[in-house]
Amino acid sequence: MRQYQLYINGEWIDAKSGGTFKVLNPYTEEAIAEVAKGSREDAQIAIDAARKAFDSGIWSGLPPQRRCEILLDIAERLAAKQSELIELETKDAGMTTRMSSMADIPGGIGQFRYYAELARSVPFYEGLPPMEFPTSYNFVLREPIGVCGQIIPWNAPFLMAVSKLAPALAAGNTVVLKPASYTPITALELAKIIDESDMPKGVVSVVTGPGSTVGEEIAANPKVDKVSFTGSTEVGRRIMELASSTVKKVTLELGGKSPVIVLEDANWDVAIDGVLYGVYLHSGQICVAGTRLFLPGSIHDEFVEKLVAKASHMKLGDPMDWGTDMGPLVSAEQRDRVEGYIKSGLGQGARLACGGARPKELEKGYFVEPTIFIDVKNDMKIAQEEIFGPVLSVIKYSSVDEAIDMANDTIYGLAGAVWSEDMGRAMDVAKKIRSGTVWINEHHMIDTRHPFGGYKQSGIGREMGIYGFHEYTEIKHVYMDLVRKRESKLWYGMVCSG
Ligand code: NAP
Ligand code: MG
């Protein structure tokens, strides 16, 4: 079994309490790693180190070219370890090897490279309109914010770790990262690689341990300048509350209940598979999963029939097996949660078109079958709350306006999708969906260069692209006066004319 300590101030150390916890493989239900269980005290030591490293200028003071070289070197070391990372991620998170090798790991490495390059290519000076009277040069200096606390979820652990660390480091910040307790392994492997690089000590620390202690300390500690969090909306609210004591900057990437609106003229050949991919990728444990499907009454029955035929043939099993379509949920607790929602759907009058149970042929692993509910009303719990499991709620509509109203009738606004062959109509719908991303005839397409984040209670701020980079910078306006003579100053005569 792998053993991991805390990575603090460039050293691998045990938790102060000496405590550890086990990490399970959700397919075998067996422990695959033992990890140090950090506490508030460990988090404080890491934060102090990050504070010292930031204030010394050991990282932010390096020429951007040098920061770029160190980050690129880390990206190359990650690329050299790609196949090991793919295997570890699959065993830790239960995501299929198809997903970890086609999206999560190479996507994360690509993102690391992208931000490494931005470290030297983004201008840290931006000119402002000059002033003629009084004559002055004006510009913006983009500076790092300082110590960034970063807290991530379990669904795409490596990609999440990179999308927090890489932009923060590229902009010159120092970081304390807390991985999710279900899936800390690849973030700790990333720390190993950072440790082997020329990254100065204290710039990056990775502290594993419970959200209720390590996470809360990061969000509340006055030495932290910014908290960046990805996870549930409920915990996001708590993070904001804790961060408010010292008015920290916050970036929140929270939950979603993304609508998928199929118009009558959609190309079924692609849309059927697209809808299934939208909801069942990673067993539905994706914040942008298309979990509410809006179908016009005219095509509802036939469309559902085709969805059910395909969903019931999806292959569940060992995520390490290339033939597996869907792996297990991350934990027994998560499976309980999903099953609770299935019960609630039935209790509120929705009907199962397929799924709803654990697959009989699999004795181990936290599986739930691909599940489709019909006769769903948009105000039911299964249509309003984030399930984070393989559950699709199908809702009938009679006009596109009604579909849009229902699509927007949610506290969330992370993503949405429209399926239609008429780009004009699709664009009209896309404009009316209140969310941070809308796909037309696609789902899940997220590119390192494109902004990602939520409207409404799905979050604050954006990640990815230059947008994500700027979230890790402060904007300083510098006013450089060009009027030398006292009598020519604007204020001459206003205060001191003598
Ligand atoms: P979660 O329960 O909110 O946990 C996320 C992280 O916060 C974990 O590291 C957790 O630590 C920590 N945490 C828990 N309670 C905390 C507290 N009181 N103070 C500080 N930190 C705390 O979310 P999850 O169940 O891991 O992930 C699923 C959620 O993430 C879903 O809602 C999903 O939509 C969202 N998500 C959003 C995006 C996005 O970009 N918008 C992407 C992926 C996932 P422990 O693991 O130790 O409990
Ligand atoms: Mg795990």
Side-chain angles (χ1 to χ4, degrees):
M1 199 173 9
R2 287 173 178 258
Q3 312 274 341
Y4 294 94
Q5 295 169 294
L6 308 174
Y7 182 63
I8 296 182
N9 201 18
E11 310 289 339
W12 289 97
I13 53 173
D14 287 333
K16 280 275 175 211
S17 69
T20 61
F21 63 98
K22 296 253 166 52
V23 176
L24 302 183
N25 173 333
Y27 173 63
T28 61
E29 304 186 19
E30 281 160 14
I32 52 171
E34 187 178 13
V35 176
K37 187 175 177 183
S39 63
R40 278 188 183 272
E41 198 186 350
D42 298 298
Q44 285 159 4
I45 297 170
I47 292 166
D48 286 347
R51 184 77 261 163
K52 211 168 139 209
F54 184 77
D55 294 343
S56 73
I58 199 172
W59 179 242
S60 61
L62 287 181
Q65 175 65 30
R66 182 65 189 133
R67 278 213 299 274
C68 164
E69 281 165 10
I70 293 173
L71 294 173
L72 274 182
D73 171 56
I74 293 169
E76 290 328 307
R77 288 169 190 267
L78 288 169
K81 242 185 155 174
Q82 174 153 321
S83 36
E84 191 187 339
L85 290 169
I86 288 169
E87 188 181 333
L88 287 171
E89 192 83 323
T90 296
K91 290 185 171 163
D92 190 10
M95 79 169 55
T96 60
T97 190
R98 262 146 74 185
M99 181 177 162
S100 53
S101 59
M102 289 163 79
D104 183 58
I105 301 295
I109 295 170
Q111 196 172 143
F112 214 104
R113 273 201 199 102
Y114 169 82
Y115 281 114
E117 286 292 347
L118 279 195
R120 73 170 156 200
S121 62
V122 172
F124 283 84
Y125 289 82
E126 291 164 20
L128 289 169
M131 280 176 71
E132 273 119 44
F133 181 76
T135 318
S136 58
Y137 284 141
N138 288 267
F139 48 89
V140 157
L141 270 185
R142 281 208 179 257
E143 298 184 333
I145 294 175
V147 175
C148 298
Q150 308 189 312
I151 303 171
I152 54 174
W154 41 258
N155 60 343
F158 181 73
L159 194 59
M160 292 292 140
V162 170
S163 51
K164 293 278 179 272
L165 280 175
L169 294 173
N173 299 278
T174 61
V175 170
V176 176
L177 176 81
K178 190 201 102 58
S181 299
Y182 287 134
T183 58
I185 295 180
T186 46
L188 290 160
E189 290 293 329
L190 175 54
K192 274 191 196 167
I193 284 175
I194 290 173
D195 188 49
E196 288 159 14
S197 76
D198 287 341
M199 178 65 74
K201 279 182 192 302
V203 174
V204 177
S205 292
V206 176
V207 184
T208 43
S212 56
T213 55
V214 175
E216 297 232 347
E217 183 62 36
I218 287 174
N221 191 301
K223 291 181 189 161
V224 173
D225 298 296
K226 176 190 167 112
V227 195
S228 172
F229 168 79
T230 298
S232 58
T233 293
E234 192 190 347
V235 176
R237 291 189 193 108
R238 175 75 181 141
I239 301 269
M240 263 183 108
E241 197 182 313
L242 293 169
S244 73
S245 61
T246 52
V247 196
K248 293 182 180 52
K249 312 277 176 289
V250 289
T251 304
L252 304 174
E253 298 287 356
L254 309 176
K257 194 73 193 174
S258 299
V260 176
I261 302 180
V262 174
L263 303 187
E264 268 170 334
D265 66 356
N267 174 3
W268 287 33
D269 202 30
V270 194
I272 303 274
D273 288 323
V275 168
L276 294 175
Y277 165 64
V279 64
Y280 295 137
L281 180 69
H282 199 21
S283 307
Q285 301 167 113
I286 300 196
C287 49
V288 293
T291 48
R292 290 184 300 151
L293 174 62
F294 294 95
L295 291 177
S298 56
I299 63 168
H300 175 276
D301 293 358
E302 206 185 331
F303 199 94
V304 168
E305 196 182 308
K306 289 191 189 306
L307 277 179
V308 167
K310 287 214 161 181
S312 349
H313 280 102
M314 286 177 71
K315 187 167 177 294
L316 275 57
D318 185 351
M320 285 299 290
D321 181 346
W322 192 260
T324 297
D325 295 319
M326 225 176 75
L329 295 168
V330 74
S331 64
E333 296 81 15
Q334 187 60 16
R335 183 178 54 190
D336 288 347
R337 226 174 91 91
V338 171
E339 288 176 339
Y341 276 110
I342 293 172
K343 241 191 219 157
S344 140
L346 291 169
Q348 289 194 302
R351 281 194 301 136
L352 280 171
C354 68
R358 301 179 184 185
K360 285 172 204 64
E361 68 281 9
L362 295 167
E363 280 158 15
K364 264 195 292 182
Y366 311 121
F367 290 92
V368 171
E369 291 171 336
T371 298
I372 299 178
F373 271 114
I374 52 174
D375 292 347
V376 178
K377 300 280 171 275
N378 196 49
D379 59 2
M380 288 179 184
K381 237 171 113 165
I382 52 166
Q384 287 294 319
E385 295 182 16
E386 187 176 47
I387 299 175
F388 238 51
V391 182
L392 179 66
S393 294
V394 184
I395 300 166
K396 226 185 253 185
Y397 70 80
S398 48
S399 72
V400 175
D401 283 342
E402 188 201 7
I404 293 165
D405 284 346
M406 288 192 286
N408 287 332
D409 185 10
T410 158
I411 62 164
Y412 296 114
L414 193 55
V418 191
W419 293 85
S420 169
E421 289 300 275
D422 180 336
M423 282 310 118
R425 281 184 82 204
M427 193 58 209
D428 280 344
V429 176
K431 279 182 172 165
K432 289 178 183 156
I433 295 180
R434 302 254 309 131
S435 69
T437 298
V438 179
W439 292 287
I440 295 176
N441 296 328
E442 251 308 348
H443 212 103
H444 291 305
M445 295 305 293
I446 296 169
D447 187 281
T448 297
R449 296 160 301 171
H450 304 162
F452 179 77
Y455 282 26
K456 303 197 274 183
Q457 294 187 39
S458 286
I460 296 178
R462 290 293 177 272
E463 291 195 314
M464 320 282 268
I466 189 71
Y467 309 89
F469 181 88
H470 282 164
E471 297 277 354
Y472 285 101
T473 63
E474 284 279 21
I475 292 176
K476 179 179 282 176
H477 167 210
V478 179
Y479 179 103
M480 189 181 283
D481 185 52
L482 296 175
V483 179
R484 308 301 303 148
K485 270 172 55 191
R486 193 166 61 110
E487 310 81 68
S488 306
K489 294 281 188 191
L490 180 70
W491 41 262
Y492 186 72
M494 205 189 289
V495 179
C496 38
S497 52

